[in-house]
Amino acid sequence: MKDATALVARILLALIFIVAGWGKLGAGYAGTQQYMASMGVSGALLPLVIFAELGGGLGILFGALTRLAAAGLAAFCILSALFFHTDFANQIQSIMFMKNLAIAGGMLMLAVHGAGAWSLDTWWQARRK
């Protein structure tokens, strides 16, 4: 049960990043760049954002380099909260801020405890032995 729960948790945590990263490709790219610029963040950083979301999300999903991906995504969530969701007079922005902190907490748990038995990390480790 523990291994299945860890897998489900990774899937649920990864989905938000994969969907968000994928959505920024194509039609969402220009709008995201404009939004970033309006918040004082260079739109030139968008490829790095997409890489973090898609790469980190897929790493979490498959349990590949999980501790590194989780630590990176935890930092990404905290920075995103601080740069984009600090208008606490706006209830939606307050909720987005707290959501980012909650996801960062989940990512920190993954960074500390790893992906679990049903992961590429565990498979690679077993093959090395």
Side-chain angles (χ1 to χ4, degrees):
M1 187 67 160
K2 177 181 169 187
D3 297 331
T5 302
L7 175 61
V8 170
R10 284 198 341 263
I11 292 168
L12 294 174
L13 283 167
L15 279 176
I16 194 166
F17 295 101
I18 295 167
V19 170
W22 188 259
K24 288 174 179 70
L25 294 172
Y29 196 91
T32 302
Q33 273 189 320
Q34 289 174 351
Y35 177 69
M36 289 173 68
S38 76
M39 300 302 286
V41 177
S42 173
L45 294 174
L46 185 53
L48 183 60
V49 168
I50 293 169
F51 175 77
E53 289 178 334
L54 281 177
L58 290 170
I60 298 300
L61 178 68
F62 293 109
L65 303 173
T66 306
R67 292 175 192 269
L68 179 64
L73 287 174
F76 177 83
C77 286
I78 292 167
L79 289 172
S80 295
L82 294 173
F83 280 101
F84 298 105
H85 304 300
T86 55
D87 179 7
F88 299 119
N90 180 332
Q91 185 178 14
I92 298 296
Q93 291 303 315
S94 294
I95 292 168
M96 296 293 280
F97 184 88
M98 295 303 294
K99 172 206 53 107
N100 278 31
L101 293 184
I103 295 169
M107 289 298 166
L108 290 172
M109 289 292 286
L110 268 179
V112 169
H113 295 284
W118 296 353
S119 67
L120 288 176
D121 289 339
T122 299
W123 184 73
W124 290 331
Q125 187 177 30
R127 286 189 52 128
R128 277 186 241 137
K129 290 182 178 179

